[in-house]
Amino acid sequence: MMMKYILADNQELTRYALECLIQEKAANDVYRSSDKAGLVELLKEHENAIVLLDYTLFDFADVDQLLIIGERFSLSQWILISEELTPSFLRRVVYSSHQFSIVFKDGLLRDVREALRATACHERFISQRALEVVIHHQQEEERPSILTETETEIVRAIAQGKSTKEIAAERFSSVHTITTHRKNIFRKLGVNTAHEVVKYALRAGLVDSSEFYI
């Protein structure tokens, strides 16, 4: 049966290689898109298409936008094929929707072929490398980081909504000292924002949830 594919990849060589792989065993309809708006228009015409997307080269605002479009076109299937996908992105996609298969552009050719075979049979394929990244990220997130007593107290203050200046005044420390502590906390927890610090501290049982301002 002839399948419909949408190549959503802005690298010409990759598009050519993917089209060759798509046409290896049967003639299929292949369409090309260069941006998110064009992709949506193609999906309106071909709702059951298989989309091969390099997320890192496209103009999606974030993973939520990608998942919303996937949900909007629920008959479509997606193969995400990129060189670099962050652990948090992979985990979100893997656990949020079964529409998305995942392979790496610099990975094994057989993974791409297997993803194409699986999606043609309405199955999902997650490469071994992607699975390992997701599992490792989950284990790291669940493992309590070793914070010092001072860092734990600063985490509690951050959760209570206090600013760096307020924390410094309460602890009779300089703003520079508290800023250094914050950087160390963020590094140990592998996070980027104060809100993420609070969420991590709650999950790890480092602080009492009744004290928090979220």
Side-chain angles (χ1 to χ4, degrees):
M1 181 179 68
M2 183 175 289
M3 308 289 293
K4 298 181 185 297
Y5 291 85
I6 300 174
L7 297 182
D9 190 309
N10 287 323
Q11 291 181 332
E12 186 174 1
L13 184 59
T14 303
R15 287 199 308 267
Y16 175 78
L18 290 174
E19 187 163 353
C20 289
L21 289 171
I22 289 169
Q23 307 289 15
E24 269 187 342
K25 295 184 178 179
N28 295 291
D29 290 335
V30 180
Y31 307 91
R32 296 185 178 189
S33 172
S34 59
D35 57 27
K36 176 169 58 65
L39 175 58
V40 169
E41 290 303 312
L42 282 171
L43 282 169
K44 288 178 181 178
E45 297 180 36
H46 313 289
E47 293 186 351
N48 63 341
I50 296 172
V51 180
L52 284 80
L53 169 70
D54 187 333
Y55 174 83
T56 61
L57 296 181
F58 252 56
D59 54 338
F60 285 94
D62 51 34
V63 65
D64 289 319
Q65 192 174 76
L66 174 64
L67 292 172
I68 288 170
I69 292 177
E71 184 178 355
R72 176 181 174 187
F73 299 100
S74 59
L75 297 179
S76 65
Q77 297 178 80
W78 301 64
I79 300 175
L80 301 184
I81 175 168
S82 301
E83 290 183 7
E84 294 184 9
L85 293 171
T86 65
S88 57
F89 174 91
L90 288 170
R91 186 179 177 188
R92 180 74 187 284
V93 171
V94 166
Y95 289 125
S96 295
S97 174
H98 286 276
Q99 286 175 266
F100 293 87
S101 295
I102 301 172
V103 295
F104 286 93
K105 189 175 285 187
D106 58 349
L108 300 173
L109 181 59
R110 69 168 179 260
D111 283 346
V112 180
R113 284 197 172 102
E114 183 58 25
L116 288 168
R117 183 208 63 78
T119 51
C121 298
H122 300 282
E123 298 172 357
R124 185 188 198 190
F125 177 80
I126 307 295
S127 71
Q128 183 64 31
R129 177 177 161 190
L131 284 174
E132 289 173 356
V133 170
V134 170
I135 292 169
H136 178 74
H137 182 251
Q138 183 170 342
Q139 290 173 339
E140 286 295 312
E141 192 172 66
E142 291 173 351
R143 184 182 299 124
S145 293
I146 300 174
L147 298 180
T148 66
E149 183 178 347
T150 296
E151 288 168 344
T152 301
E153 291 173 358
I154 291 174
V155 165
R156 182 176 292 109
I158 291 172
Q160 292 169 342
K162 295 177 182 177
S163 67
T164 300
K165 187 175 181 180
E166 290 171 329
I167 297 171
E170 286 184 358
R171 299 187 60 82
F172 302 102
S173 299
S174 69
V175 171
H176 174 74
T177 297
I178 301 303
T179 298
T180 299
H181 280 307
R182 283 175 63 102
K183 289 179 179 178
N184 289 335
I185 290 167
F186 281 32
R187 175 180 53 79
K188 287 183 177 182
L189 299 183
V191 299
N192 299 298
T193 67
H195 185 65
E196 290 176 303
V197 170
V198 175
K199 288 170 64 177
Y200 191 99
L202 281 167
R203 286 196 300 270
L206 298 176
V207 280
D208 184 352
S209 60
S210 64
E211 299 178 69
F212 292 150
Y213 171 80
I214 301 178

